[in-house]
């Protein structure tokens, strides 16, 4: 390997002496990484930020780079000959096996927890690709890197945004809860005075309590942490729950939220996360409207996709800034953080969905959530 390196260096020097071009030759034109000295290759392997693994169609690891020791604490010899899925939670293994294309030689990315030598989980990003040798045999190669710090930063931003949402909802919720509390107080005073029709009063009181319970229970889920747990959930129920939560805030601005749910469809999702998506979008629609009006929420199907449109009657979003929405700390609101739509897009990516923003022809904006049919 040293002789190859010296030969390449000589070729470079010779070309430099005889070249009359104004653009000097690039080093990568003369040698690839395989021609580097073994000491340099060893240094790269030890100090790279992630590690490389290679396994066969049975899942048996046949190569692991030395950098795995820095990230997981294992030596390469500890892992070679074992199955790649032994260090991964079973639900992640199932997800990867379902979504890994075993024939396409293109990059596929999976964010999963991997267990280190101390039995602690490490958040990793894994770029996986199928490769085929000259005999037609398939193998799978993965580049793995630690993204724990990135995940922690995302979780901090999500918690911060959730607290911001909870604070903004407080005024509307306080107003909505105060009305039934006033009714309950009045009926209790009547009952204490010994009036008749107790049964009728009891029913009204129970209805008012259930109304408060619905609002407070929907507010509680905002504090739940992000997870990768997914189940089949009713889309219409989730949207109705979000409308129940946000209707008090809308009433304060004389805004009516109208539902047009023409489909009854289940989606595979984390219920808390998808509700957070709808809260962020509907809340933005409410805040975008300076005057009274309505917000329409429509659901319909398009081939293998579920479309949820949130249509407001605000001033609209200028075309030149639509593409910037979703960037951290970019916002069109005076007191906004710019994190709400960023978190929304991250959640949708985890659910293999996406967000489209369309300027309405006459007035307002349509935020379209697209989710895959289960």
């Amino acid at each position: 390997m040293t002789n190859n390196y010296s030969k390449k260096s000589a070729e470079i020097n010779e070309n430099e002496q005889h070249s009359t071009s104004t653009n000097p030759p690039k080093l990568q034109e003369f040698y690839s990484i395989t021609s580097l000295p073994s000491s340099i290759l060893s240094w790269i392997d030890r100090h790279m930020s992630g590690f490389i693994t290679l396994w066969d169609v049975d899942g048996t690891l046949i190569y692991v780079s030395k950098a795995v020791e820095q990230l997981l604490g294992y030596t390469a010899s500890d892992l070679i000959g074992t199955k790649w899925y032994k260090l991964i939670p079973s639900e992640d293994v199932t997800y990867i096996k379902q979504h890994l294309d075993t024939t396409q030689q293109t990059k596929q990315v999976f964010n999963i927890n991997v267990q280190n030598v101390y039995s602690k989980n490490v958040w990793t990003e894994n770029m996986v690709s199928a490769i085929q040798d000259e005999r037609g045999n398939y193998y799978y190669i993965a580049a793995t890197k630690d993204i724990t710090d990135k995940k922690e930063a995302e979780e901090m931003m999500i918690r911060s945004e959730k607290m911001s949402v909870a604070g903004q909802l407080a005024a509307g919720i306080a107003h909505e809860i105060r009305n039934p509390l006033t009714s309950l107080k009045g009926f209790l005073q009547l009952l204490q005075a010994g009036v008749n029709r107790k049964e009728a009063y009891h029913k009204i009181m129970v209805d008012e309590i259930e109304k408060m319970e619905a609002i407070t229970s929907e507010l509680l889920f905002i504090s739940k942490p992000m997870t990768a747990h997914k189940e089949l959930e009713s889309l219409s129920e989730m949207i109705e729950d979000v409308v129940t939560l946000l209707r008090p805030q809308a009433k304060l601005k004389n805004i009516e939220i109208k539902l047009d749910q023409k489909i009854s469809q289940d989606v595979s999702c984390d219920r808390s996360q998808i509700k957070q998506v709808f809260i962020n979008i509907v809340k933005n629609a409410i805040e975008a409207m300076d005057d009274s009006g309505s917000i329409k929420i429509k659901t319909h199907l398009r081939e293998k996709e579920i479309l949820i449109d949130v249509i407001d009657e605000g001033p609209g979003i200028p075309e030149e800034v639509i593409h910037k929405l979703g960037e951290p700390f970019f916002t069109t609101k005076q007191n906004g953080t710019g994190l709400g739509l960023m978190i929304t897009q991250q959640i949708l990516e985890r659910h293999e969905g996406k967000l489209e923003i369309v300027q309405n022809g006459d007035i307002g904006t349509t935020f379209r959530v697209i989710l895959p049919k289960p």
Side-chain angles (χ1 to χ4, degrees):
M1 187 174 292
T2 304
N3 291 335
N4 289 338
Y5 177 68
S6 301
K7 182 179 179 181
K8 295 295 182 181
S9 299
E11 290 175 358
I12 294 172
N13 292 332
E14 184 178 352
N15 277 276
E16 286 177 345
Q17 292 172 2
H18 292 89
S19 175
T20 58
S21 173
T22 56
N23 296 322
K26 297 180 180 179
L27 293 181
Q28 50 265 47
E29 295 176 2
F30 298 99
Y31 60 82
S32 65
I33 192 170
T34 56
S35 64
L36 292 173
S38 59
S39 58
I40 294 179
L41 292 174
S42 178
W43 189 96
I44 292 173
D45 193 24
R46 289 196 310 270
H47 295 89
M48 63 187 296
S49 60
F51 61 91
I52 306 295
T53 53
L54 181 72
W55 65 90
D56 59 21
V57 291
D58 296 324
T60 302
L61 291 168
I62 57 179
Y63 172 78
V64 181
S65 64
K66 295 177 182 178
V68 70
E69 190 168 357
Q70 290 185 355
L71 185 56
L72 300 180
Y74 295 100
T75 63
S77 58
D78 292 334
L79 298 177
I80 291 176
T82 64
K83 303 294 186 182
W84 64 265
Y85 46 79
K86 293 297 184 182
L87 303 177
I88 301 174
S90 59
E91 59 269 21
D92 285 339
V93 174
T94 302
Y95 177 80
I96 292 174
K97 288 183 176 180
Q98 288 176 347
H99 292 82
L100 177 63
D101 193 323
T102 56
T103 58
Q104 291 295 323
Q105 299 181 35
T106 56
K107 181 181 70 175
Q108 301 171 71
V109 180
F110 298 94
N111 290 345
I112 56 174
N113 273 312
V114 178
Q115 199 173 67
N116 66 14
V117 72
Y118 306 107
S119 299
K120 293 184 178 179
N121 288 332
V122 178
W123 264 110
T124 62
E125 180 183 85
N126 301 266
M127 290 185 290
V128 185
S129 179
I131 58 175
Q132 192 176 19
D133 65 15
E134 61 277 4
R135 297 181 180 179
N137 299 316
Y138 274 99
Y139 297 90
Y140 306 96
I141 189 167
T144 301
K145 66 178 181 180
D146 185 358
I147 58 168
T148 302
D149 291 343
K150 178 184 175 183
K151 282 289 180 181
E152 290 177 351
E154 286 180 0
E155 293 296 332
M156 287 181 65
M157 286 193 293
I158 289 168
R159 286 195 295 269
S160 174
E161 179 65 17
K162 284 182 176 182
M163 291 301 295
S164 174
V165 171
Q168 292 174 23
L169 292 175
I173 290 173
H175 175 78
E176 191 72 4
I177 290 178
R178 183 171 55 191
N179 289 339
L181 281 176
T182 302
S183 300
L184 288 172
K185 182 179 178 181
F187 286 126
L188 284 173
Q189 290 172 338
L190 290 173
L191 291 173
Q192 286 176 339
V195 297
N196 296 324
R197 300 182 61 195
K198 291 184 179 181
E199 292 300 324
Y201 292 159
H202 287 161
K203 184 181 183 305
I204 296 174
M205 292 170 68
V206 169
D207 289 342
E208 295 296 308
I209 291 172
E210 287 178 349
K211 185 187 300 183
M212 290 190 296
E213 185 179 33
I215 295 171
T216 54
S217 62
E218 291 307 317
L219 185 62
L220 284 176
F221 87 87
I222 293 178
S223 63
K224 291 183 179 179
M226 297 279 281
T227 68
H229 179 69
K230 295 179 183 178
E231 292 184 357
L232 280 178
E233 304 284 355
S234 168
L235 177 64
S236 58
E237 287 183 7
M238 288 190 291
I239 293 175
E240 288 169 3
D241 289 345
V242 169
V243 171
T244 299
L245 178 64
L246 292 174
R247 189 163 274 145
Q249 184 177 352
K251 282 183 179 179
L252 292 177
K253 299 180 69 174
N254 293 321
I255 295 172
E256 182 183 1
I257 302 178
K258 298 179 179 179
L259 289 179
D260 182 11
Q261 302 200 76
K262 297 180 180 179
I263 61 172
S264 178
Q265 181 70 51
D266 290 342
V267 293
S268 177
C269 68
D270 181 304
R271 185 182 182 89
S272 174
Q273 291 183 28
I274 293 301
K275 278 189 177 182
Q276 183 70 50
V277 166
F278 294 134
I279 282 180
N280 289 347
I281 294 174
V282 177
K283 182 175 71 70
N284 282 348
I286 295 171
E287 293 172 349
M289 294 175 60
D290 296 325
D291 301 319
S292 60
S294 64
I295 295 171
K296 298 176 183 178
I297 302 176
K298 296 183 177 181
T299 59
H300 49 104
L301 297 178
R302 184 178 66 187
E303 296 180 352
K304 296 183 179 181
E305 296 177 328
I306 306 168
L307 309 183
I308 306 97
D309 292 344
V310 179
I311 308 166
D312 66 50
E313 295 180 352
I317 302 172
E319 289 289 344
E320 61 269 19
V321 302
I322 282 183
H323 71 282
K324 294 184 179 181
L325 294 179
E327 294 180 5
F329 308 112
F330 178 84
T331 178
T332 58
K333 296 183 290 187
Q334 184 175 359
N335 298 316
T337 63
L339 298 177
L341 283 181
M342 184 197 74
I343 292 169
T344 295
Q345 290 175 336
Q346 288 179 349
I347 292 173
L348 290 175
E349 285 175 5
R350 294 183 183 185
H351 289 78
E352 301 177 30
K354 57 184 177 180
L355 176 68
E356 292 181 354
I357 304 172
V358 181
Q359 190 76 283
N360 297 342
D362 46 1
I363 185 172
T365 308
T366 296
F367 282 75
R368 172 169 290 172
V369 175
I370 303 175
L371 294 170
K373 288 179 65 178

